[in-house]
Structures are given as C-alpha cells and as structure tokens.
Amino acid sequence: MSNKIWTEVNLVTMQIGDKPYGLISDAAIVVESDHIAWIGPKDEIPNHYDYDMVYCEGAFMTPGLIDCHTHLIYGGNRIDEFEKRLNGASYEEIAMAGGGILSTVKATRDATEKELVTSAQKRLACLMDEGVTTAEIKSGYGLDVQTELKMLSVAKRLNMSPRIDILSTFLGAHALPPEYKTNRSGYIDLIIDEMLPAIAKHQLAQAVDGFCENIGFTCDEMEKVFVAAKKYGFDLKLHAEQLSDQNGAQLAAKYGALSADHLEHLSEAGVIAMKNSGTVAVLLPGAYYTLQDDKLPPLDLIRKHNVPMAVATDSNPGSSPVLSLKLMINMASTIFKLTPEESLAGVTRNAAKALGLNDRGVLGVGKNADMVLWDITHPAELAYQVGGTNPISIIKNGEIIK
Ligand code: NIG
Ligand code: FE
C-alpha cells in the first residue's frame, strides 16, 4: 500500500472542538498504508514524512460518508404501491392488505442469490459514486430461514469489495410472514430458535434489528428477540416510533441498542432513555418525504438532551426508494431543519457511532484513511446544493478508488 501526503486541502475533520466542522484550512493529511498518520497545517508537516504529495488546490476533504441504515438487497420493486399511495392509499393500508413489505418478501424469496447480488451492486454503486465508503444493509425481506440467510450471504459478498465496508443487520422481525399469519408467537420462536443461531454460527450479521410498530411487532415481542440476540453478542438496533409511539425507544435503550431509527413519534421519555443509554437517533428524511409524513421527529428534544443524530437513506423499495445519501444531507437540513453541520455529522461521525465503529467517521490520527475530496467552497455546500456535486476523489483504506 502506498503512503501519501494530501496537501493544500481544507480538512472537514468533523472532530468535535472549537471550529465548526472541525475545519482545518490550508492543511495536509498524511496517509500511511490504510490509516491517517498525521493531520495539521500544511506548513507543519514533519520532515520524516517523505511521501508522494497530492496537491488538492484548495478542495475540501471530508471523512468517507457512512450510510448507517439501508435495505439495499431485495427483489422486484414497489412502483405499483407508489401509484396507489399517490391515489390516497396509506402505507399502513397497503401493508394490511398484504402488500408493502410482504410483496417485496415474495419477490425476494423468488430471486436467486446471483440476481440479488447484481441488483444490490447496482444500487450500492450509486451510493459509492457519492463518496459512501461504509454502508449498513439489513435483511428482512426473507422472513424464512433460507431467504434470510440468502440475503445475508448477498451482503457478505458485497462486503468482499475493497471499495466499501458493508455491515450486515438481521431484520427477521420486519413483518409477519404469511405462513405465520395466525401464529405470531410461532414466528418469534422461529427467529429465536432457528434464525439467530444459524446467523450467529455463520457470522452473517453484526446487529439485530426489528420493526416495532402496529403493523410490525410489539415491544414485548421485540424484547424476546433482543434478549435472545444479546446472548449471541449481537449489537441491537430498532425501527422505533415511525408511525406511532410504541415506547420502542425505551426498549432499545433498555437493551443498550446502538441506535433507534425513524423516531417521528418519539416522546421526551424516549429521548431521555436514549440519552442515558448512549443510543443514537437515526433520522431518515427519505422515508418521511416518500410517505409524505407530516409529523417531524422531535428535534428540539433530541438536541435538548444531546442525543447524537445520524442521517441515512433507509434505501428500500417501499418507504424510501432513495439512492442518494447526499440528497439526505440536503433533506435533513431543508425538511428536518438540521444545521448543515449536524446533517454532515449525521453521515460521518454519528453514523459511525450508530454502527458501533470508532475507527472512522472523522479525520484524525489513527483513523481509517476513508476520505472524500470535494470541489466545493464551504462544507455547507454539501447540504445546500441538490445534485451536481460529485467527489473529485474517493480514498478507501488509503487506496485511491476514484
Ligand atoms: O425502514 N419501517 C419498516 N421498514 C422499512 C420499510 C420497508 C419497506 O417498506 O419495504 C423502513 O421504512
Ligand atoms: Fe428501515
């Protein structure tokens, strides 16, 4: 691996400190092998770093972007459902009529592993072109042992690319599969007795997630899944309070979950519980926008209690057919009213935290050399401009991949 000095660069380190964005102007960053060895003003580079220079001509460098909540692997699409919603049907009505997530489950069960790899790779490429160097992908469109394992094997294959790290999350508790329609507890048992052991045995996921909702699973059901998941050492996450307040955030906090995601209907008690457990609030403006929601997450409360906010695409065929994390930076600001700095922290520093990763998400000594070089004049431009700003260069683990 080659060592390099990137110089004449404005470093958007995203480190917490005195300067907005952790900005270091007219700086240099020394990369040794796959990590950052030094960072500082360009005139102060220590002499012993005698490496090739890359002159950045005043461009801005951010950490590699992190999409910490996606459902990128699935069969088919839900264009018909999109049209139904435009004609007035709600997401819940479609789900209760057997459409929604379950229609994607059918298409995903019918797809071969190879077909799923090909379609997911295409979607992932869209994110990577924008500077995403780490992404999380959830299962949850299989809902039987074989198809859940198939989805997670696809994620494992996507993770073989040196251009991106994929973290896999098992989302067996996404919806009740049709064959268990009259046997809810039987499906929870299937998750606990068969799916979790198989996934643990083959090391196919880092985390376990669930959809805690009227059209998903109750807190009691999710608690059983969490208790079992913890025994295997999985990290936990939860789709919480998206369509109603189920006290899912409190459940996530009780079990020390890395994140609770969506949160439009989150209460102050939920926010406080998340604060106390260090659970990250993952905001998903793409789903809010697609479902034409009108209840914003309680951002003032989340800020008041200092709960870190991450931002992700939630890329999925139903509630968020979104393949642009950059657009989410914009929407987090325009729709959720995050400051551009909060939005950018949401796809870097706090996204790393939502995945339990402390080796990335900021530019700093010892961190992974995952970096993106942008032709912009201010970091806020990443939130301001819609389209048109593509990375000049993308560096993953020290290797220039674009
Ligand atoms: O995060 N809320 C539940 N799960 C996904 C939607 C999945 C789907 O509609 O296919 C979400 O929005
Ligand atoms: Fe989701």
Side-chain angles (χ1 to χ4, degrees):
M1 282 202 188
S2 58
N3 301 330
K4 277 202 169 42
I5 301 176
W6 301 76
T7 190
E8 296 176 4
V9 65
N10 294 301
L11 294 176
V12 183
T13 70
M14 299 314 292
Q15 299 262 21
I16 297 173
D18 307 337
K19 292 258 175 74
Y21 302 91
L23 190 68
I24 313 177
S25 304
D26 207 15
I29 182 163
V30 179
V31 172
E32 279 182 334
S33 177
D34 57 357
H35 66 277
I36 297 169
W38 185 89
I39 212 164
K42 78 167 195 293
D43 300 330
E44 296 175 17
I45 308 170
N47 284 334
H48 61 271
Y49 293 123
D50 186 20
Y51 304 147
D52 286 349
M53 295 267 197
V54 185
Y55 293 93
C56 301
E57 300 173 355
F60 283 68
M61 185 179 273
T62 64
L65 305 186
I66 300 172
D67 194 348
C68 68
H69 179 144
T70 86
H71 310 248
L72 274 184
I73 298 168
Y74 56 85
N77 64 58
R78 304 244 287 278
I79 299 167
D80 57 334
E81 180 185 314
F82 174 63
E83 294 197 320
K84 279 187 194 141
R85 278 205 317 275
L86 292 177
N87 285 314
S90 75
Y91 185 70
E92 286 106 313
E93 281 162 4
I94 292 167
M96 274 164 350
I101 293 171
L102 291 185
S103 75
T104 301
V105 169
K106 184 173 183 324
T108 306
R109 286 177 177 180
D110 289 346
T112 65
E113 189 166 324
K114 191 154 178 274
E115 285 165 346
L116 292 176
V117 169
T118 305
S119 60
Q121 248 163 0
K122 264 198 202 166
R123 296 179 195 117
L124 196 56
C126 301
L127 298 178
M128 287 159 66
D129 283 348
E130 289 189 330
V132 173
T133 52
T134 302
E136 182 256 21
I137 305 181
K138 300 173 197 295
S139 68
Y141 291 125
L143 313 185
D144 59 29
V145 178
Q146 187 199 344
T147 318
E148 286 296 308
L149 291 177
K150 178 171 75 176
M151 290 188 74
L152 293 169
S153 303
V154 171
K156 191 171 176 179
R157 278 169 65 175
L158 298 177
N159 190 35
M160 279 155 48
S161 164
R163 302 161 65 94
I164 188 155
D165 291 320
I166 302 296
L167 281 90
S168 304
T169 300
F170 168 57
L171 178 59
H174 196 193
L176 195 64
E179 56 279 16
Y180 281 89
K181 205 169 171 183
T182 55
N183 182 12
R184 297 187 67 87
S185 64
Y187 184 60
I188 298 295
D189 290 344
L190 182 76
I191 292 176
I192 294 171
D193 298 335
E194 294 190 40
M195 293 182 180
L196 282 174
I199 292 160
K201 180 170 165 216
H202 299 290
Q203 297 186 330
L204 282 171
Q206 285 80 34
V208 169
D209 193 347
F211 186 24
C212 189
E213 192 53 68
N214 290 324
I215 57 167
F217 294 90
T218 64
C219 270
D220 287 348
E221 289 165 335
M222 278 318 307
E223 185 156 18
K224 292 194 177 106
V225 174
F226 278 0
V227 168
K230 276 214 120 167
K231 286 195 190 132
Y232 294 101
F234 288 111
D235 289 329
L236 304 176
K237 300 176 128 329
L238 191 65
H239 287 66
E241 343 298 14
Q242 179 188 10
L243 308 168
S244 60
D245 185 8
Q246 303 276 327
N247 296 330
Q250 287 92 321
L251 177 74
K254 178 175 172 192
Y255 286 89
L258 289 175
S259 70
D261 306 39
H262 286 286
L263 304 173
E264 278 79 354
H265 294 260
L266 178 63
S267 66
E268 184 158 18
V271 180
I272 292 168
M274 288 173 69
K275 172 65 193 170
N276 292 336
S277 60
T279 301
V280 176
V282 177
L283 306 175
L284 304 168
Y288 179 94
Y289 167 82
T290 301
L291 299 181
Q292 300 186 39
D293 206 341
D294 54 12
K295 181 150 175 47
L296 287 169
L299 295 154
D300 291 343
L301 292 175
I302 294 172
R303 283 198 192 94
K304 175 177 152 196
H305 295 287
N306 260 315
V307 173
M309 293 182 279
V311 172
T313 59
D314 192 17
S315 188
N316 75 68
S319 68
S320 191
V322 167
L323 291 171
S324 171
L325 188 59
K326 272 212 63 227
L327 181 60
M328 297 305 100
I329 304 174
N330 169 266
M331 285 189 180
S333 288
T334 54
I335 301 178
F336 286 2
K337 306 281 186 281
L338 267 61
T339 66
E341 187 178 357
E342 287 173 331
S343 299
L344 199 53
V347 297
T348 55
R349 190 179 67 236
N350 291 338
K353 200 168 161 52
L355 295 177
L357 300 171
N358 59 16
D359 58 0
R360 66 196 77 189
V362 295
L363 301 178
V365 172
K367 301 292 178 187
N368 286 2
D370 291 358
M371 319 180 312
V372 187
L373 197 64
W374 305 91
D375 179 18
I376 52 175
T377 56
H378 190 280
E381 199 170 330
L382 293 172
Y384 159 78
Q385 180 148 317
V386 181
T389 321
N390 282 322
I392 304 170
S393 195
I394 303 171
I395 300 105
K396 175 66 185 168
N397 287 322
E399 293 293 332
I400 302 173
I401 60 169
K402 184 193 166 180

